[in-house]
Amino acid sequence: MLTPIAHTPADGCSPPHLLDEHLRKVGELAASFAAPAWADWARQAGRWHDLGKYDPAFQDYIRRDSGYEAHLLDGQPSHPSHSLAGAQHALLTQPKFGRLLAYLIAGHHTGLPDGPAEYQGAASLSHRLAQGPQALADALRADIPADLLAATPLTLNPQAIGGKDGLHLWLRLVFSCLVDADFLDSEAYFQPEQAQQRRPPPDLADLRARLDAYLADKHAHAAPSAVNSVRADVLRQCREQAQQPPGCYTLTVPTGGGKTLSSLAFALEHALAHGKRRVIYAIPYTSIIEQTAEVFRAALGDDAVLEHHSSLDVEHETVHSRLAAENWDASVIVTTNVQLFESLFAARTSRCRKLHRLVDSVIVLDEAQLLPIPYLQPLLDALRLLTEHYGVTLLLCTATQPALHTRSNSFGHIQLRGLDARRAIIQREAQLYQQLARVRLHLPADLDARQSWADIARQISQHPSVLVIVNTRRHCRELHALLPDGTFHLSALMCAEHRSQQIADIRQRLARGEPVRVVSTTLIEAGVDVDFPVVFRALAGLDSIAQAAGRCNREGRLPHGDVHVFVPPDPSPLGWQRAAEEAARTVLGQCGADALAPDAMQRYFNHYYGKAGQAGFDREGLHALLTQHAGQGEIFFRTAAERMRLIDNTHTVAVIVPYTRQDGEHCRDSHALRRRLQAGEMHRDLLRQLQRFTVSLPQPQFERLRRAGELEEIYRDIWWVKNDVMYDEKRGLLVGEIEAANPEQLLC
């Protein structure tokens, strides 16, 4: 018989990838990724994941159908499954834990399956394992080495993983070790040049030295001021508290207090003090993530920061960063809440692959108050498991710390299992708030009396330099039309390239001391470093009002800035935004101009969670899907993953808009990118560049434009706005009144 092979070369000339060798290497590599307590699980899964390839019929098939794509298409039409034999072998030789191993092995290409067949039918583990006995019998017709078939005695301490409630996360972590090892060993065979380009990430001690030097230089050149003195004290406290034991920390610093670099200093100091492997910085908004990554690159160097999100500017992407993004093999990762949290509940191999990198890391959640209410319970449960069982230190970083403690109703029933063991880095938060108080808050006489846009526009027009923040795209467009010529407009109806150009222009004008008026949706509110003397904010959540206040007199150059809250003509959209507005109205009425103080903010979050939580902190029932029958080894992995959607993309469609950005000698033009795509050029880099020119539309709005003939499908499911006049250089895409149902600034 021919020697069994795992893969056939795409060129048909190179030596084949031997199956025995592949299984041993994947087993050892997976074990090296795993924590010592479960390394044997990862090794066992690695050695058994491709047992089905020993089937003589599969050997005939794989010698005919070569290449990397064939390797990935397990069990799809015209591609026989090779994963069921190993899953069946696990059931027979590991009677106590075989079903758990079977999840990993059966899903190593197609993703973690549901156990029961209730939702996924034939795709479930139970249904697929019915074919397992024959698959194993076919594989055993070959002469498989005894060491590969041998069953290592496995142990599992339920308390070490959080009991049955933690089983799903632990299995994903072991699965992550398996699939990353399988990808890497297959890559080493199919793409050896690419595999050689992977390199170890920079040492954390070196990164801390770079940060120290950067901060020392920044301090030496900073003008003496009360604000800079406070920032230095925040940095000092972060460095001191970094020596404390691992766990859950809060960093509550008013906007402008330097929390971005101070939180990075804490993370690096803490990682080195306690043997953590990497720092992961998760951020909710496009505007923040791009800016934060720039700040970190300036401090640490371009080679130190992996920026991983769907809207990445390809100028910041290198071969090494693309490879590292696949499995987060980096020292400092700047990513999104969507990437982090949807991966924690993922079933797909590509999403799960990086999860083992979370173990023994420092995770910083920036703008922690923006954790989505409908998923708050499963998110907090996952974060608690990571901190209690996987060596993760969690830092909740925000200007408005949410009330994430355990909540009970009047009958004593727990409504929210919170993060109760939190340690505050800033010891006197109220005093810090007073030190950084740079604005006066002005409220309308009647918080229930709605104002017309014309009246609001007249008030705004009295100020030569002013920032106005509203709640929806439609409000932004309507108010902008009533303001003086030259007023900037910012909303997600403008593509990322357009917004970036506008924000850069706004900053330059402010730096030159020129008058500038801006009306914006909430995309400017958190993390965008602009400094206006006057800010107007439409009534919204109190945390949003506080974020808006952070754009006012940010550097403390004035005795005080002025923040005006106004009541727009109609309320916020239904759901969590309406609940936030109602909670803010209550606290503003009680606290008046002191409503931004820490005690008022805690009162607000208690009201807000009380209102928003009435619809449930686990809207999709993820906890039950993942834990209710976990004691019997029955977990709905795939169904839970499908329901965990922080952004409901099923109701929106992204369209590419006609826009050209000219930056000196550099020109970025969506027309040129479209022509390349239509000429047959299709690759990841081109799609990433095109993504910077997209606008997301609600499905009804998209359908209206498509029926009107305004859109052209330039590639399968890739749509282009045909008429250049539909994209305005000031306001972006000119569409009707349908509002997006999602927070517009979130990204994948």
Side-chain angles (χ1 to χ4, degrees):
M1 291 182 61
L2 295 172
T3 303
I5 62 174
H7 308 116
T8 309
D11 59 14
C13 301
S14 302
H17 195 186
L18 299 182
L19 183 54
D20 298 1
E21 178 182 306
H22 175 60
L23 295 184
R24 292 189 181 100
K25 285 188 175 179
V26 171
E28 293 311 308
L29 190 56
S32 73
F33 292 151
W38 29 283
D40 283 343
W41 285 78
R43 182 181 294 105
Q44 193 81 97
R47 290 192 168 197
W48 290 351
H49 79 288
D50 275 358
L51 282 183
K53 289 186 176 181
Y54 281 104
D55 177 3
F58 193 93
Q59 287 294 305
D60 290 343
Y61 154 74
I62 203 170
R63 282 181 162 84
R64 295 192 310 271
D65 197 348
S66 63
Y68 192 55
E69 292 302 319
H71 158 71
L72 295 175
L73 295 174
D74 175 50
Q76 297 190 22
S78 78
H79 295 82
S81 174
H82 62 265
S83 59
L84 294 180
Q88 181 67 24
H89 187 61
L91 286 178
L92 294 178
T93 60
Q94 298 281 6
K96 187 175 182 180
F97 299 121
R99 187 169 179 82
L100 301 184
L101 274 174
Y103 277 107
L104 314 180
I105 297 168
H108 77 271
H109 283 311
T110 58
L112 286 167
D114 280 1
E118 181 176 346
Y119 298 109
Q120 302 289 337
S124 68
L125 182 65
S126 295
H127 191 279
R128 293 181 64 196
L129 285 177
Q131 308 164 45
Q134 185 59 53
L136 178 60
D138 291 339
L140 291 176
R141 290 161 56 196
D143 185 17
I144 303 176
D147 67 301
L148 292 177
L149 289 174
T152 302
L154 299 177
T155 60
L156 178 61
N157 178 3
Q159 287 72 36
I161 64 169
K164 69 179 184 65
D165 286 359
L167 182 61
H168 70 95
L169 179 58
W170 177 76
L171 279 171
R172 279 194 189 85
L173 291 171
V174 183
F175 184 66
S176 169
C177 298
L178 168 63
V179 297
D180 194 22
D182 190 24
F183 272 110
L184 290 173
D185 189 58
S186 299
E187 176 190 73
Y189 172 73
F190 285 113
Q191 300 165 296
E193 298 84 3
Q194 177 171 298
Q196 290 171 5
Q197 289 179 316
R198 295 184 183 272
R199 61 188 183 195
D203 181 72
L204 287 176
D206 177 47
L207 297 187
R208 180 180 61 179
R210 297 185 199 179
L211 179 62
D212 288 347
Y214 178 82
L215 291 172
D217 181 71
K218 191 177 180 70
H219 177 74
H221 291 88
S225 70
V227 170
N228 284 332
S229 176
V230 170
R231 290 170 178 166
D233 189 55
V234 168
L235 177 60
R236 176 190 60 79
Q237 292 187 64
C238 283
R239 283 173 161 162
E240 289 177 355
Q241 291 296 313
Q243 306 305 314
Q244 297 298 316
C248 183
Y249 288 79
T250 62
L251 178 60
T252 308
V253 178
T255 301
K259 66 178 179 294
T260 299
L261 285 172
S262 293
S263 61
L264 178 62
F266 168 87
L268 289 175
E269 292 279 358
H270 186 83
L272 286 167
H274 300 286
K276 306 304 179 188
R277 299 177 181 177
R278 59 189 48 84
V279 174
I280 300 167
Y281 217 96
I283 298 173
Y285 292 158
T286 311
S287 53
I288 311 177
I289 192 170
E290 294 173 346
Q291 178 176 279
T292 300
E294 285 289 350
V295 170
F296 287 179
R297 276 192 286 266
L300 303 177
D302 289 345
D303 65 322
V305 181
L306 169 62
E307 187 179 352
H308 185 203
H309 57 87
S310 65
S311 191
L312 177 64
D313 185 339
V314 293
E315 285 193 0
H316 295 144
E317 192 173 44
T318 67
V319 172
H320 302 294
S321 69
R322 283 199 300 273
L323 296 177
E326 295 173 355
N327 63 354
W328 283 9
D329 189 10
S331 298
V332 177
I333 300 151
V334 182
T335 189
T336 64
N337 286 355
V338 173
Q339 285 283 353
L340 174 62
F341 289 127
E342 290 192 1
S343 294
L344 282 169
F345 292 86
R348 285 168 34 206
T349 55
S350 59
R351 273 289 175 94
C352 290
R353 181 179 172 185
K354 56 184 171 286
L355 285 180
H356 66 91
R357 306 289 181 184
L358 300 181
V359 176
D360 291 328
S361 67
V362 180
I363 298 177
V364 181
L365 291 187
D366 196 20
E367 306 300 345
Q369 80 280 2
L370 293 172
L371 292 176
I373 294 294
Y375 299 98
L376 189 59
Q377 188 61 78
L379 296 184
L380 295 183
D381 288 343
L383 292 172
R384 191 184 314 103
L385 288 167
L386 288 172
T387 56
E388 292 180 357
H389 302 288
Y390 300 105
V392 168
T393 285
L394 176 67
L395 177 60
L396 304 173
C397 184
T398 178
T400 53
Q401 198 66 230
L404 296 180
H405 54 269
T406 296
R407 305 175 63 86
S408 301
N409 62 18
S410 57
F411 299 101
H413 297 143
I414 293 178
Q415 294 178 308
L416 179 70
R417 297 179 300 277
L419 299 175
D420 297 320
R422 293 173 291 165
R423 182 181 292 111
I425 290 177
I426 303 300
Q427 299 304 306
R428 293 180 292 277
E429 293 175 0
Q431 179 181 333
L432 183 63
Y433 166 79
Q434 291 295 333
Q435 291 175 307
L436 287 174
R438 293 155 293 173
V439 303
R440 293 184 304 190
L441 185 64
H442 303 272
L443 304 177
D446 185 351
L447 286 164
D448 293 310
R450 300 204 170 273
Q451 300 170 259
S452 70
W453 286 127
D455 286 342
I456 295 165
R458 278 193 292 270
Q459 297 173 48
I460 293 166
S461 298
Q462 296 173 13
H463 303 278
S465 282
V466 58
L467 169 64
V468 190
I469 303 175
V470 295
N471 295 321
T472 71
R473 300 173 178 181
R474 177 170 59 84
H475 288 179
C476 190
R477 185 172 57 250
E478 290 177 355
L479 181 56
H480 181 266
L482 298 173
L483 292 172
D485 288 344
T487 299
F488 284 87
H489 170 284
L490 288 172
S491 85
L493 285 174
M494 304 158 68
C495 66
E497 283 293 336
H498 193 180
R499 294 198 308 268
S500 297
Q501 186 175 45
Q502 292 284 77
I503 291 172
D505 196 1
I506 290 166
R507 284 176 171 152
Q508 289 170 7
R509 296 191 185 197
L510 289 170
R512 293 193 297 261
E514 298 176 8
V516 56
R517 293 187 181 96
V518 179
V519 57
S520 174
T521 58
T522 56
L523 64 86
I524 201 172
E525 177 167 273
V528 179
D529 291 343
V530 290
D531 189 354
F532 284 83
V534 179
V535 169
F536 279 71
R537 182 58 169 97
L539 182 62
L542 196 58
D543 55 328
S544 295
I545 295 172
Q547 292 287 357
R551 313 308 123 198
C552 184
N553 196 24
R554 184 179 180 86
E555 297 300 322
R557 297 187 179 98
L558 303 173
H560 60 79
D562 291 292
V563 177
H564 299 266
V565 176
F566 64 90
V567 184
D570 45 63
S572 299
L574 284 170
W576 62 267
Q577 290 169 293
R578 183 75 60 85
E581 179 185 308
E582 292 173 354
R585 183 179 283 109
T586 298
V587 177
L588 286 169
Q590 295 170 345
C591 301
D594 292 327
L596 301 184
D599 57 340
M601 198 61 64
Q602 286 299 302
R603 190 182 303 182
Y604 159 74
F605 276 112
N606 284 326
H607 279 285
Y608 172 43
Y609 286 165
K611 291 178 179 292
Q614 291 172 3
F617 295 110
D618 184 7
R619 184 182 63 191
E620 301 296 332
L622 299 181
H623 180 73
L625 287 170
L626 296 170
T627 68
Q628 190 170 12
H629 302 293
Q632 293 78 49
E634 301 292 355
I635 302 173
F636 292 92
F637 282 109
R638 189 164 299 182
T639 298
E642 291 173 356
R643 294 186 184 181
M644 169 53 79
R645 289 290 180 265
L646 299 189
I647 306 175
D648 188 359
N649 291 325
T650 59
H651 300 298
T652 62
V653 181
V655 298
I656 304 168
V657 297
Y659 178 71
T660 301
R661 177 177 180 177
Q662 187 74 44
D663 286 331
E665 298 179 358
H666 300 286
C667 179
R668 305 181 189 183
D669 181 16
S670 63
H671 299 81
L673 296 174
R674 171 182 59 85
R675 289 192 292 269
R676 288 167 57 187
L677 182 67
Q678 290 180 304
E681 186 178 344
M682 167 56 77
H683 53 80
R684 183 173 179 267
D685 287 352
L686 179 59
L687 294 178
R688 294 291 286 270
Q689 292 178 67
L690 280 166
Q691 192 167 44
R692 303 254 326 151
F693 293 90
T694 61
V695 169
S696 291
L697 296 176
Q699 188 76 36
Q701 206 168 57
F702 166 80
E703 290 296 341
R704 190 170 66 195
L705 291 178
R706 186 181 62 81
R707 288 194 299 268
E710 299 290 354
L711 300 176
E712 176 188 359
E713 191 174 20
I714 58 175
Y715 198 84
R716 185 164 52 89
D717 296 328
I718 298 178
W719 294 87
W720 167 262
V721 177
K722 294 163 56 176
N723 193 341
D724 283 16
V725 301
M726 283 197 65
Y727 195 82
D728 184 76
E729 64 178 10
K730 295 180 180 178
R731 295 170 292 166
L733 189 60
L734 302 177
V735 292
E737 306 302 315
I738 303 172
E739 291 291 351
N742 308 304
E744 61 186 13
Q745 60 278 70
L746 290 173
L747 76 165
C748 301

